[in-house]
Amino acid sequence: MSKKRILILGGGFAGVYCAKELEKLARNDAGLQVSLVSRENFFVFTPMLPQVVSGMIESNHVVVPVRQILKRTQFYEADVRRLDVKNKKVAIGVAGESGPERVLEYDQLVVSLGGDTNFAKMPYIQGFVFTLKNLKDALVLRNHVIDMLERADIEGDIENRQKLLTFVVVGGGLSGAETAGELASFFDEAVKYYPNVRNGLAAVPVRVVLLQSRDRILPELDLELADFTLNELVKSGVEVRLNSRVVDVTADHVEIMDGKGRTTLPANTTIWTAGVSPNPVVFEIPGAMHESGRLPVDSFLRVKGADGIWAIGDCAYIADGRSAPCPPTAQHAIREAQVAAQNILLSMQCKGMKRFDYDSNKQMAVIGEKKAIARFAGFKLYGIAAWWLWRAVYLQKLPMLKKRLRVLFDWTIDMFFDRDLTHIRGLKDDRKVARSLPARTQ
Ligand SMILES: Cc1cc2nc3c(=O)[nH]c(=O)nc-3n(C[C@H](O)[C@H](O)[C@H](O)COP(=O)(O)OP(=O)(O)OC[C@H]3O[C@@H](n4cnc5c(N)ncnc54)[C@H](O)[C@@H]3O)c2cc1C
């Protein structure tokens, strides 16, 4: 008898945790073949990326090789190129290359490809902004931030120095707020090593500006927790500008539209964390794509109108009869992954499936040095207590004991020593590559 094939696309929170759950539940089922395709051979623990940027955690410690997490899953480091839903086939090829393809067949397909960064209909800005989605982004951004401090330290012109020392974060969601908070706490500590930045003849402040197009930050979370975060960010020196929409970015300024009209903010660094656009691969799945660009699923996490296809994580639109969809967070992606794995096996055994009921009661975010917010088991926690809880929960979710110990060690060292300020010259910055994108038309 041929094996039943479950194919998972994407090696992020949703894909990896789904495969992990399948390995656990079908431990003794020799008739099942689980495969996973992802363009990197490692899983990135994204909630800790801002701490890589600030130098609190070593970059290698927040990534775990997929093959070492999933010992019974067939792993392919490859790009998913095309889906042939009718014939239940997926074409894959070596990541980042256009060479030969290999075709994988499946009985059940799990789509967990996350989303792409949304440049709000301004593709040309990609040449000027940093993103923070993966390990390389974090390394490049960290190096750039230190480069800006080094340049500012020798810059004689005050205006240029201010541009070098202005760091704009676009997007007030989890990644934007956490990045702004981490940067502020990093500068707090780092400037003492840059005498001309700290108290040169014409000292200018290091500015971290968080731009959010809506009237609140952290739309993924409870309003009270979001307001607390906003106050804490402001207290730590972050300039938070609500109702401020970015309309253009260049190498040395950001154009903003707010209640006062169009204004220009001179800055050499813009970090884009706003919005998620659909992964282009998911357009090949039939059925109505939701306007958010995510795949609508039923309460069992099956893609509506597609046979044998499941969607989980940031690429799934899970409304579950509620007015607001399940927020795109790692915590939800893990729970969706576990329920999807159970339902796939139940459906294959023709048994009743489990409804995915998302629990908005568990929410957490870290805002910088010893500050976090959390909603847990009906309680709301703020400040240092939430920060300890965040660390305990996320540490336990990081796959592999070795990595957990390393992160724990990094956190401990950070309590007693200053962060590393090594600047690597010549590290490839993808923004320069992106400058070959379509030119602005306005
Ligand atoms: C900086 C940052 C901080 C965050 N902080 C938090 C937090 O504190 N708490 C929280 O709950 N959430 C947080 N999030 C959100 C969280 O990371 C996401 O919700 C979560 O990663 C979603 O998981 P996913 O598996 O759906 O997508 P992803 O983790 O994005 O994984 C998608 C996977 O698909 C792969 N892939 C994509 N396209 C292809 C292709 N064509 N071929 C092959 N592989 C492909 C990618 O390489 C990746 O491995 C944060 C996100 C960021 C970026």
Side-chain angles (χ1 to χ4, degrees):
M1 205 178 73
S2 63
K3 287 191 178 189
K4 286 275 176 213
R5 297 152 305 183
I6 302 175
L7 178 58
I8 301 171
L9 308 182
F13 275 91
V16 163
Y17 274 85
C18 182
K20 240 171 110 122
E21 186 75 3
L22 286 167
E23 284 194 355
K24 187 175 99 191
L25 296 174
R27 193 178 307 118
N28 303 318
D29 187 348
L32 195 72
Q33 168 70 63
V34 181
S35 308
L36 188 147
V37 184
S38 196
R39 61 166 60 116
E40 286 102 17
N41 84 341
F42 52 81
F43 161 80
V44 185
F45 202 82
T46 44
M48 289 179 187
L49 281 181
Q51 296 177 27
V52 172
V53 175
S54 71
M56 186 188 281
I57 304 178
E58 277 297 320
S59 54
N60 266 0
H61 301 171
V62 302
V63 292
V64 188
V66 176
R67 291 176 194 278
Q68 291 179 320
I69 309 173
L70 304 170
K71 304 217 174 75
R72 289 189 294 277
T73 299
Q74 168 69 59
F75 175 71
Y76 300 96
E77 185 195 56
D79 268 334
V80 175
R81 294 201 186 145
R82 280 173 299 106
L83 305 186
D84 176 358
V85 171
K86 200 164 146 236
N87 297 304
K88 298 200 163 191
K89 289 179 180 169
V90 174
I92 63 168
V94 174
E97 294 180 15
S98 55
E101 284 183 352
R102 168 154 183 200
V103 174
L104 304 177
E105 297 185 54
Y106 65 84
D107 298 297
Q108 302 287 330
L109 182 71
V110 181
V111 185
S112 48
L113 291 164
D116 274 358
T117 307
N118 185 351
F119 292 100
K121 302 195 181 112
M122 298 182 286
Y124 42 83
I125 68 168
Q126 286 176 72
F128 303 105
V129 300
F130 290 90
T131 51
L132 187 55
K133 288 277 288 175
N134 57 44
L135 183 66
K136 190 172 167 211
D137 293 342
L139 283 174
V140 168
L141 178 57
R142 168 165 178 69
N143 203 49
H144 169 85
V145 165
I146 299 171
D147 185 24
M148 292 298 101
L149 288 175
E150 297 294 351
R151 284 169 192 261
D153 206 53
I154 56 166
E155 177 60 62
D157 180 87
I158 297 181
E159 267 179 40
N160 283 343
R161 192 190 288 177
Q162 185 63 81
K163 276 193 263 183
L164 289 163
L165 294 177
T166 303
F167 299 84
V168 181
V169 181
V170 184
L174 270 174
S175 50
E178 290 178 341
T179 304
E182 277 300 324
L183 281 177
S185 62
F186 168 70
F187 291 129
D188 230 21
E189 185 185 297
V191 287
K192 68 170 180 262
Y193 293 102
Y194 294 86
N196 294 325
V197 169
R198 195 188 55 208
N199 53 11
L201 280 179
V204 293
V206 180
R207 293 176 70 190
V208 179
V209 185
L210 178 64
L211 300 175
Q212 163 71 325
S213 60
R214 299 169 63 164
D215 59 0
R216 57 164 293 190
I217 62 163
L218 297 179
E220 304 95 331
L221 308 188
D222 178 278
L223 183 59
E224 203 183 316
L225 295 177
D227 283 344
F228 177 84
T229 308
L230 191 142
N231 285 334
E232 288 301 319
L233 285 174
V234 172
K235 270 195 232 161
S236 58
V238 177
E239 297 169 41
V240 184
R241 288 165 66 168
L242 301 176
N243 298 311
S244 299
R245 193 164 52 84
V246 171
V247 288
D248 200 4
V249 182
T250 69
D252 65 1
H253 72 264
V254 181
E255 299 260 333
I256 305 159
M257 192 67 101
D258 59 17
K260 297 184 204 116
R262 196 167 169 136
T263 50
T264 300
L265 174 61
N268 286 144
T269 309
T270 305
I271 305 157
W272 193 270
T273 69
V276 179
S277 71
N279 192 302
V281 173
V282 302
F283 283 115
E284 298 183 45
I285 299 175
M289 169 76 72
H290 187 263
E291 59 190 20
S292 62
R294 293 155 75 188
L295 284 166
V297 294
D298 63 17
S299 42
F300 304 110
L301 305 173
R302 293 175 300 198
V303 175
K304 291 182 181 165
D307 178 37
I309 305 187
W310 311 72
I312 48 176
D314 284 6
C315 70
Y317 185 86
I318 308 169
D320 192 23
R322 305 186 195 198
S323 54
C326 181
T329 68
Q331 292 173 60
H332 288 298
I334 293 174
R335 290 198 51 244
E336 292 158 25
Q338 288 162 343
V339 172
Q342 291 160 20
N343 281 346
I344 292 170
L345 297 180
L346 289 169
S347 73
M348 283 166 41
Q349 295 156 8
C350 301
K351 290 188 181 156
M353 292 186 287
K354 195 173 161 182
R355 279 181 185 281
F356 177 75
D357 183 19
Y358 73 84
D359 178 5
S360 50
N361 236 331
K362 290 185 192 140
Q363 306 182 337
M364 248 181 267
V366 70
I367 323 162
E369 193 61 29
K370 298 194 181 63
K371 278 180 241 156
I373 45 152
R375 188 160 128 180
F376 209 72
F379 292 99
K380 286 182 189 171
L381 288 176
Y382 305 91
I384 195 155
W387 182 75
W388 279 115
L389 185 69
W390 188 95
R391 288 191 159 195
V393 170
Y394 278 85
L395 199 61
Q396 173 253 321
K397 288 197 192 303
L398 183 65
M400 238 178 151
L401 180 64
K402 183 171 85 179
K403 298 286 176 167
R404 273 181 233 149
L405 291 174
R406 287 192 160 151
V407 168
L408 192 62
F409 201 54
D410 285 344
W411 282 341
T412 312
I413 290 199
D414 187 70
M415 290 167 90
F416 301 103
F417 300 96
D418 285 346
R419 292 179 199 172
D420 199 286
L421 294 172
T422 308
H423 171 222
I424 307 163
R425 297 198 65 79
L427 192 66
K428 193 161 164 266
D429 170 357
D430 282 344
R431 294 178 315 151
K432 294 184 184 107
V433 179
R435 282 184 196 159
S436 57
L437 284 160
R440 48 176 51 72
T441 48
Q442 46 183 334

